Amino acid sequence: MQRGLLLIIILAMFASLSCRRDQPVFETDEDDSTVIPETIKEGYSDYFITGVAISNAQINGEEPQAMEIVKEQFTSITAENDMKWEYMEPTEGSFYYDDADLHLAFAEENDLTMIGHTLVWHSQLPSWVRSITDSATLVTVMKNHIDSVVGKYAGRVHGWDVINEAFEYDGSFRDTVFYKYIGESFFEQAFAAAQAADSTAELYYNDYSMTSSGKKETVINMIEHLQEKDIRIDAVCMQGHWTLTSPSVEVIEQSIIDYYNAGVKVIISELDVTVLDQNNDADPYVDGLPDDVATDLAERYAALFSLFKKHEEKIARVTLWGVHDGQSWKNYSPYSGRTDYPLLFDRDYEKKACFYSTLEAAPK
Ligand code: G3I
């Protein structure tokens, strides 16, 4: 065969291969002015920080494909569990930093913003803390934990979830060991301690159901209380553990506006969208997600990210609570052993329809 003809055939084969895409070819509008981004960070980084929660297995190298997704798609990471009290100070005064160090190293190696989660929470709290019944002792222990952990990473953590889930739906204080033995002042004491330990870190209050009116009223009152005492709180985190329909975009939007008007930024800190009924243990999608439900999920994510884009000046960050569906806590909460599909990547690390719909919602 003549060399010229062979060269033409090789070039034709290369041209056809280079056109193949592993993902749908995105349409652009007729004048090509709207180009659909190819990654979450490309689509949204002009509006807010994009983040994802990293598991202990992932940061310890057990899921390299997940970590490639993190590097490709996001600008921030949160340790899903590794920086919680039960892991960081399992026994009094004995700190364990190895796994947290891995998160910090990965973030710094890949130019990712590191989020500290979380300092004061009634859950995943070691028993030696839960058993304290003396106010002064608990204050000392709480401040020492905050000073040690925040101080250890001073200047390297962008912001801390200082307190997690301190209030009930109706806005009353949750009956935690901190509230029970220190009283309401544990809230301001925790924020003041974090501010003293690292003046460069942003300070957040993190909670779920932040659209419920009672909780919203109490959180706004607490923001104002901290501001009056000149104790810094930079943002409130609406965790964003939502369903396909609830809360509505309108209800979420009003909460974003209300918190922002209280003088703080808003963070969507733990976004996932369950497709399962939260009021019974039905597990209908064990063999896969039906197309119609996948479409509902794609539309929900597009609507949520369109809302976040609309209020970009109020929103500081949106973090997905996991890289892929197999990692999600929703597979075992509120009912264990179920198969949920709450995130942007599937159990094979493949992009889902809701990933593409989220990208398509990005352009202004
Ligand atoms: O560390 C143990 C390990 O030693 C043991 O072998 C393994 C199997 O039993 O369990 C491991 O602990 C699990 C831990 O995650 C680490 O994987 C706990 O059982 C499990 O309950 C825990 O779940 C975490 C949950 O918080 C605890 O409440 C989820 O991964 C995590 O996604 C979830 O995240 C919370 C946020 O921090 C705060 N907002 C709510 C959100 C959902 O609960």
Side-chain angles (χ1 to χ4, degrees):
M1 180 180 292
Q2 295 166 357
R3 287 173 55 87
L5 178 57
L6 179 59
L7 179 59
I8 291 169
I9 291 171
I10 290 169
L11 286 174
M13 286 172 62
F14 177 77
S16 67
L17 282 173
S18 64
C19 289
R20 198 193 67 205
R21 288 170 175 259
D22 293 327
Q23 62 193 40
V25 176
F26 288 106
E27 296 301 319
T28 57
D29 63 19
E30 48 280 2
D31 63 8
D32 272 349
S33 63
T34 304
V35 176
I36 306 298
E38 296 198 354
T39 66
I40 299 296
K41 66 181 177 184
E42 181 189 331
Y44 290 95
S45 292
D46 287 344
Y47 310 143
F48 40 73
I49 294 170
T50 60
V52 66
I54 308 294
S55 71
N56 179 267
Q58 288 164 350
I59 205 62
N60 276 284
E62 295 176 29
E63 288 189 50
Q65 290 169 283
M67 304 311 275
E68 287 308 308
I69 291 172
V70 174
K71 291 186 281 188
E72 178 188 68
Q73 297 291 335
F74 299 100
T75 60
S76 169
I77 62 170
T78 302
E80 186 178 10
N81 289 291
D82 289 334
M83 295 174 77
K84 294 172 179 174
W85 198 323
E86 74 172 345
Y87 299 110
M88 296 293 277
E89 191 184 1
T91 56
E92 183 167 5
S94 171
F95 291 89
Y96 175 79
Y97 293 121
D98 292 6
D99 288 332
D101 287 347
L102 292 175
H103 287 277
L104 270 295
F106 180 79
E108 289 164 348
E109 283 161 13
N110 295 285
D111 195 26
L112 298 166
T113 298
M114 187 74 220
I115 304 302
H117 173 79
T118 177
L119 297 171
V120 178
W121 187 28
H122 63 279
S123 183
Q124 294 181 277
L125 188 66
S127 57
W128 69 269
V129 182
R130 287 202 306 272
S131 60
I132 296 172
T133 57
D134 172 70
S135 176
T137 303
L138 190 54
V139 167
T140 301
V141 160
M142 181 182 75
K143 287 184 175 180
N144 184 63
H145 181 75
I146 293 170
D147 187 55
S148 301
V149 172
V150 176
K152 161 85 172 171
Y153 297 114
R156 300 171 65 193
V157 170
H158 178 76
W160 281 96
D161 291 337
V162 177
I163 294 177
N164 204 42
E165 304 171 11
F167 304 116
E168 300 292 356
Y169 291 99
D170 64 2
S172 61
F173 269 93
R174 186 189 294 267
D175 189 25
T176 68
V177 64
F178 302 104
Y179 176 65
K180 192 170 180 179
Y181 294 108
I182 300 173
E184 293 187 11
S185 72
F186 88 90
F187 204 101
E188 65 193 65
Q189 292 189 64
F191 272 86
Q195 184 177 329
D198 183 1
S199 61
T200 71
E202 292 189 346
L203 306 177
Y204 317 130
Y205 173 68
N206 185 50
D207 207 338
Y208 61 86
S209 298
M210 288 278 272
T211 56
S212 71
S213 54
K215 188 176 286 195
K216 180 162 62 169
E217 184 181 351
T218 295
V219 171
I220 289 172
N221 288 339
M222 186 54 76
I223 291 165
E224 292 167 354
H225 175 71
L226 293 178
Q227 290 167 340
E228 286 160 11
K229 304 202 76 167
D230 200 23
I231 296 172
R232 186 157 50 81
I233 177 169
D234 298 287
V236 292
C237 300
M238 302 171 67
Q239 289 180 359
H241 298 303
W242 293 325
T243 75
L244 284 171
T245 56
S246 177
S248 70
V249 166
E250 293 74 20
V251 165
I252 296 168
E253 179 169 38
Q254 190 55 57
S255 294
I256 290 170
I257 293 167
D258 293 344
Y259 289 123
Y260 184 73
N261 289 342
V264 293
K265 296 280 254 180
V266 177
I267 290 168
I268 310 299
S269 55
E270 305 180 9
L271 182 61
D272 47 36
V273 179
T274 180
V275 298
L276 299 180
D277 195 321
Q278 299 302 288
N279 299 311
N280 65 60
D281 64 357
D283 189 20
Y285 309 127
V286 173
D287 296 326
L289 195 62
D291 288 348
D292 62 328
V293 182
T295 299
D296 291 343
L297 184 63
E299 289 172 356
R300 178 64 161 166
Y301 263 105
L304 290 170
F305 271 84
S306 297
L307 176 67
F308 304 152
K309 175 180 71 175
K310 176 183 176 184
H311 293 281
E312 60 170 299
E313 76 286 358
K314 307 179 180 75
I315 304 277
R317 170 168 49 92
V318 176
T319 289
L320 277 297
W321 204 241
V323 178
H324 61 86
D325 291 338
Q327 171 186 355
S328 178
W329 72 293
K330 295 305 297 178
N331 293 310
Y332 52 84
S333 181
Y335 302 97
S336 63
R338 297 207 290 183
T339 304
D340 205 339
Y341 300 80
L343 298 168
L344 300 182
F345 287 78
D346 68 20
R347 289 166 169 78
D348 296 321
Y349 306 101
E350 297 294 337
K351 298 164 183 171
K352 295 162 60 180
C354 57
F355 169 85
Y356 293 112
S357 67
T358 298
L359 292 186
E360 288 163 16
K364 285 272 190 181

